[in-house]
Amino acid sequence: MARPRILVVGAGFAGVACVGRLERRLAPGDADIALITPVSYQLYLPLLPQVAAGVLTPQSVALSLRRGRYRTRIIPGLAIGVDARAKVCVVRRITGELTNERYDYIVLAPGSVTRTFDIPGLKEHGRGMKTLAEAAYLRDHVIAQLDLADAAVDEQEKISRLQFVVVGGGYAGTETAACLQRLTTHAARRYPRLDPSLIRWHLIDIAPKLMPELGDKLGRSAMEVLQRRGVEISLGVSVAEARPDQVTFTDGRVVPTRTLIWTAGVVASPLVGTLGAETVHGRLTATAQMTLPGFDGVFALGDGAAVPDLKGGDGAVCPPTAQHAHRQARTVADNVIATLRGEPLRSYRHRDLGLVVDLGGRDAVAKPVGVELRGMPAQAVTRGYHVGAMRTNVAKARALTNWILNAAAGDDFVRIGFLAEEQPSLRHFEQTDAYLTPRQVREHIASLNADQR
């Protein structure tokens, strides 16, 4: 009798934690486990701003999947479509060819992509902070603006290269603005021809508050830290138009800039739309057991699933955070195993551990288990939390070493060489054009079946 095939899509917090628990709780002969991912690492997403600022190396946040994964078959590719009736997932391998992966049970944890709007010029000129490649590219881009401004003869060009716009007052945007502003401030000392007063950072958000999840006091504290450093914060404002050398805000202001960093939220991976299933604000409508109603053997969790928040009540769903993704993964793995064994499934419930925000250097705000912290105590809790949450000891050691080295030796301002003549856009970095429609999925599977006959 053939062993059941369990297919996990996505190597983020949810997918990797799910695979790890399945490996621990299933004997080798119980099932075949496979993981689909275009990269061979789990990205520790919360620390990407520090990679962009050069505080951490890319390897520090790229946790190898080959450490501790001995039974799971890792499929190097991107899941671009799922036919739940045929129980087939279509995969575009990193070589570009399409293959079919059959399954008995599938766990959908494809994560999310940067949310964009129909704003003129945004998709062409905006830069995201969702992938390791984007963070590395953004670091090179920011340092390149300093190099070019230092060599510029035209004053207007110099001004536009030394102004930076970050859109999004959530964790990603706030930490990105904080870390990169600190980088450019320190870098200015190495450019004797640059006037430091010309370096200006703008952080804008359409919301009325900065990081409202932190509460009024901590949100205001984070805002004061950034303003004290010289970051100009504008709330209730967004982007009306983006051009190569300027950005127009919705309040009418025109900012000359060559750098637009877009972190205004996320949406579920386009893979979600290939199933033809019911969604809530673009996320798959899942049960509290993280199954999909009407779909046999399909489980969904993380950023791509609207999982009921049983503690919140009133139809609330769990927010797309790493905390929820990691904890949901344990419940999903247990429920897949329960399904294999004909046992009842368990509902997902959580206890919030709090929030941490690293603003670089000695600055941070944190709210562990409801206790509000600022400054060095918050920074100690924040970095302690991140180290504890990393899956491998190698990653923990790298992060700690990088932080100590940065504190002792300061920042460096070297461009690695990721810039190209044609600047890649959000869709290039996040491969949002790669996915099939439900009809294309069915047609592709039918054509392959016909060829095999």
Side-chain angles (χ1 to χ4, degrees), residues 367-410:
K367 195 175 182 179
V369 293
V371 180
E372 296 187 350
L373 300 174
R374 299 167 181 78
M376 283 299 292
Q379 187 62 283
V381 169
T382 297
R383 295 194 171 178
Y385 169 80
H386 288 314
V387 169
M390 288 182 167
R391 186 174 49 82
T392 69
N393 290 331
V394 171
K396 298 174 193 284
R398 281 182 177 144
L400 286 169
T401 302
N402 285 174
W403 282 327
I404 293 170
L405 183 62
N406 181 260

Side-chain angles (χ1 to χ4, degrees), residues 271-292:
L271 179 68
V272 164
T274 70
L275 279 87
E278 183 181 347
T279 60
V280 177
H281 300 301
R283 303 167 71 188
L284 289 168
T285 303
T287 66
Q289 297 78 36
M290 283 164 286
T291 59
L292 284 192

Side-chain angles (χ1 to χ4, degrees), residues 13 41-52 56-64 131-132 135 390 392 394-396 398-399 402-403:
F13 287 99
Y41 58 83
Q42 174 197 358
L43 177 62
Y44 192 81
L45 192 64
L47 291 178
L48 267 190
Q50 297 197 33
V51 173
L56 297 178
T57 62
Q59 293 93 333
S60 303
V61 300
L63 284 60
S64 172
T131 67
L132 191 56
M390 288 182 167
T392 69
V394 171
K396 298 174 193 284
R398 281 182 177 144
N402 285 174
W403 282 327

Side-chain angles (χ1 to χ4, degrees), residues 323-370:
Q323 273 194 47
H324 280 290
H326 189 270
R327 295 176 190 179
Q328 288 171 1
R330 296 196 292 264
T331 303
V332 160
D334 291 345
N335 284 346
V336 171
I337 295 169
T339 303
L340 285 171
R341 297 171 178 171
E343 299 171 354
L345 306 188
R346 185 161 59 91
S347 296
Y348 171 69
R349 295 179 183 274
H350 71 95
R351 182 174 66 87
D352 192 8
L353 292 180
L355 305 166
V356 294
V357 181
D358 193 328
L359 300 174
R362 299 182 177 184
D363 293 322
V365 291
K367 195 175 182 179
V369 293

Side-chain angles (χ1 to χ4, degrees), residues 95-313:
T95 57
E97 60 187 315
L98 298 185
T99 62
N100 288 348
E101 290 292 333
R102 299 188 179 278
Y103 64 85
D104 296 297
Y105 304 96
I106 188 169
V107 178
L108 297 173
S112 56
V113 297
T114 301
R115 178 181 62 183
T116 58
F117 299 94
D118 191 20
I119 297 172
L122 172 60
K123 293 180 180 178
E124 293 78 17
H125 307 301
R127 305 287 165 248
M129 182 58 78
K130 198 75 176 65
T131 67
L132 191 56
E134 285 175 311
Y137 175 90
L138 188 57
R139 171 174 168 75
D140 266 20
H141 172 81
V142 169
I143 295 174
Q145 301 316 301
L146 300 179
D147 289 344
L148 290 166
D150 184 60
V153 176
D154 181 74
E155 190 67 18
Q156 291 303 311
E157 178 190 351
K158 181 177 294 188
I159 290 172
S160 69
R161 293 196 182 280
L162 295 178
Q163 295 211 64
F164 306 88
V165 177
V166 180
V167 184
Y171 301 112
T174 302
E175 290 185 329
T176 297
C179 291
L180 287 174
Q181 183 274 338
R182 191 169 179 270
L183 171 71
T184 55
T185 298
H186 291 172
R189 303 167 189 166
R190 310 289 181 91
Y191 294 85
R193 297 180 65 250
L194 284 185
D195 180 357
S197 67
L198 293 179
I199 301 176
R200 297 173 62 185
W201 282 84
H202 303 263
L203 176 60
I204 69 172
D205 195 290
I206 197 66
K209 296 180 181 178
L210 199 67
M211 295 184 293
E213 302 89 342
L214 282 174
D216 289 343
K217 291 183 179 179
L218 285 184
R220 190 162 52 249
S221 294
M223 190 169 175
E224 289 170 356
V225 167
L226 295 183
Q227 289 174 328
R228 190 165 59 246
R229 291 190 195 168
V231 178
E232 297 183 21
I233 300 175
S234 301
L235 300 176
V237 176
S238 189
V239 171
E241 182 183 15
R243 295 185 181 182
D245 58 356
Q246 69 179 43
V247 171
T248 303
F249 294 167
T250 51
D251 62 4
R253 282 180 293 162
V254 178
V255 176
T257 182
R258 310 295 179 101
T259 307
L260 172 61
I261 304 171
W262 184 267
T263 66
V266 296
V267 294
S269 163
L271 179 68
V272 164
T274 70
L275 279 87
E278 183 181 347
T279 60
V280 177
H281 300 301
R283 303 167 71 188
L284 289 168
T285 303
T287 66
Q289 297 78 36
M290 283 164 286
T291 59
L292 284 192
F295 290 81
D296 179 48
V298 180
F299 298 81
L301 72 161
D303 292 4
V307 178
D309 183 352
L310 298 182
K311 290 192 68 176

